[in-house]
Amino acid sequence: MKQFTYERAQSAADAAAAVARHRGAKFIAGGTNLLDLMKLEIETPTHLVDVNRLGLDRIEPTAEGGLRIGALVRNTDLASDDRVRRDYAVLSRALLAGASGQLRNAATTAGNLLQRTRCPYFYDTAQPCNKRVPGSGCGAIGGYSRQHAVVGSSDSCIATHPSDMAVAMRVLDANVETVRADGRTRVIPIADFHRLPGDTPHIETTLQGDELITAVTLPKPLGGKQSYRKVRDRASYAFALVSVAAVIGKDGAGRVAFGGVAHKPWRVEAAEAAMPRGAAAVTERAFAEARPTHDNAFKLPLATRTLTAVIQEARTA
Ligand SMILES: Cc1cc2nc3c(=O)[nH]c(=O)nc-3n(C[C@H](O)[C@H](O)[C@H](O)COP(=O)(O)OP(=O)(O)OC[C@H]3O[C@@H](n4cnc5c(N)ncnc54)[C@H](O)[C@@H]3O)c2cc1C
Ligand code: SF4
């Protein structure tokens, strides 16, 4: 591991200012992703700003009837919150489908959104990877690509985003709240938060370097039957091959987002009008631009079958 310096910030403004002051600085929250990447020298921050003592660990109602989730709320606490379980069940289920109990106790809301891809070539520093070393090439294109993206990918990168939580937040239309070193705040719709890879796969979100996530807000509850179904190689402790987050009303109309298929949670709102006609009609539209590889074409029928199961479950509930 490369040497780094460390400080513990006492306020959100201090944390953002500390990252702005040090070239190559990063925030650290639960550390469950960043520390692994530092040990492999994939991430080499010069300075770590610990954000664990900022008091951003509460879940509070908003004036609009939704919930504000502090950036430091642990995944376990979010999944088990009574209001989340009752009104945003898709989010609770997505969180419980991720990682392990021990990891969820440490992992935070902001860190989960910002976790990096699990592409094996990204982790193997002997391999080319445009995300790790811009311009070096992509080991996965033409390599082993069973886990990789089938849609929204580019000639530079075919990685997927690994978060389960982010897929549920996308279907719920969450918003990400931030603050910068100069005190400026903004609200980023989750749809605009993660980026597709294009020619710059190393730039994964629309955040600026000194921009601290302070909270994620959820709009008022949608009602409906909410599900998160994750298909993976092992029953636990594995990332999604395909996942489906859905909110379905009694009339069969609803919303759906897919995980494990793209560089960001994949939701095509125009495809949702087809929900009452069944899964195939939805995925035909949602994956119209799909470019699977020889190893992962199975993800397209798998997405349809997974959504079929979710729709059937909603009908029989
Ligand atoms: C073995 C294993 C299995 C896993 N399985 C799954 C799974 O199945 N599904 C799943 O979704 N996840 C899974 N995870 C990932 C896990 O959910 C993430 O590691 C975790 O959510 C990251 O949160 P953290 O607080 O530890 O982030 P950290 O590691 O502390 O930080 C991650 C990134 O976020 C940045 N950051 C943190 N807080 C802020 C903030 N407030 N503002 C701006 N930037 C910030 C950091 O600078 C860093 O770049 C797994 C992890 C492991 C190790
Ligand atoms: S798919 Fe993306 S993350 Fe994986 S090797 Fe290619 S550029 Fe790197």
Side-chain angles (χ1 to χ4, degrees):
M1 193 187 274
K2 298 272 190 216
Q3 283 197 341
F4 59 92
T5 47
Y6 168 89
E7 72 177 277
R8 181 174 283 153
Q10 301 302 332
S11 72
D14 284 352
V19 162
R21 239 185 348 260
H22 292 84
R23 197 179 152 83
K26 287 206 82 130
F27 303 112
I28 183 161
T32 61
N33 190 222
L34 184 55
L35 289 177
D36 282 354
L37 294 167
M38 286 171 66
K39 286 183 212 160
L40 294 165
E41 298 189 0
I42 293 167
E43 297 257 23
T44 52
T46 54
H47 186 69
L48 285 185
V49 178
D50 185 333
V51 296
N52 282 285
R53 301 273 176 90
L54 303 186
L56 300 174
D57 54 359
R58 285 186 287 278
I59 306 173
E60 296 164 326
T62 64
E64 295 75 34
L67 281 183
R68 173 171 288 103
I69 303 159
L72 272 295
V73 171
R74 308 289 155 176
N75 288 179
T76 297
D77 296 331
L78 185 55
S80 59
D81 183 273
D82 286 343
R83 295 159 293 184
V84 174
R85 291 178 58 198
R86 184 186 64 225
D87 297 330
Y88 305 96
V90 63
L91 178 58
S92 179
R93 288 179 185 168
L95 284 158
L96 294 174
S100 64
Q102 209 175 18
L103 281 159
R104 292 194 296 268
N105 289 343
T108 63
T109 304
N112 192 313
L113 283 178
L114 291 170
Q115 63 177 290
R116 305 204 67 193
T117 185
R118 293 283 158 171
C119 170
Y121 299 92
F122 174 72
Y123 275 80
D124 182 349
T125 53
Q127 294 288 331
C129 171
N130 288 322
K131 189 182 280 299
R132 180 168 27 79
V133 183
S136 63
C138 171
I141 296 176
Y144 182 62
S145 52
R146 174 176 153 76
Q147 297 279 349
H148 290 75
V150 289
V151 71
S153 56
S154 71
D155 292 339
S156 296
C157 178
I158 58 171
T160 55
H161 195 274
S163 170
D164 292 294
M165 182 194 80
V167 185
M169 287 185 169
R170 178 70 179 91
V171 92
L172 292 169
D173 276 338
N175 287 295
V176 181
E177 297 185 347
T178 69
V179 64
R180 291 189 69 181
D182 59 8
R184 266 182 298 162
T185 59
R186 66 172 173 148
V187 176
I188 310 168
I190 191 91
D192 302 332
F193 183 78
H194 295 105
R195 297 175 78 250
L196 290 177
D199 295 335
T200 52
H202 58 292
I203 305 172
E204 295 169 345
T205 68
T206 49
L207 283 186
Q208 301 300 309
D210 65 345
E211 201 164 3
L212 176 80
I213 298 177
T214 50
V216 174
T217 54
L218 303 177
K220 66 179 186 199
L222 289 169
K225 168 76 183 161
Q226 302 194 6
S227 307
Y228 187 77
R229 187 175 279 244
K230 176 175 177 181
V231 182
R232 47 191 153 171
D233 281 328
R234 286 192 309 261
S236 72
Y237 217 45
F239 291 89
L241 290 167
V242 166
S243 69
V244 168
V247 179
I248 302 176
K250 283 200 168 65
D251 56 359
R255 301 179 178 189
V256 61
F258 297 88
V261 295
H263 201 253
K264 59 189 283 187
W266 192 252
R267 180 172 171 207
V268 177
E269 278 86 341
E272 292 169 353
M275 286 286 272
R277 287 192 280 123
V282 176
T283 52
E284 189 182 349
R285 180 77 192 264
F287 294 98
E289 311 288 326
R291 289 200 314 172
T293 70
H294 56 287
D295 290 328
N296 68 14
F298 73 91
K299 286 192 178 189
L300 295 172
L302 183 57
T304 306
R305 287 203 301 276
T306 310
L307 180 57
T308 301
V310 165
I311 292 172
Q312 271 169 5
E313 190 184 304
R315 280 187 187 143
T316 52

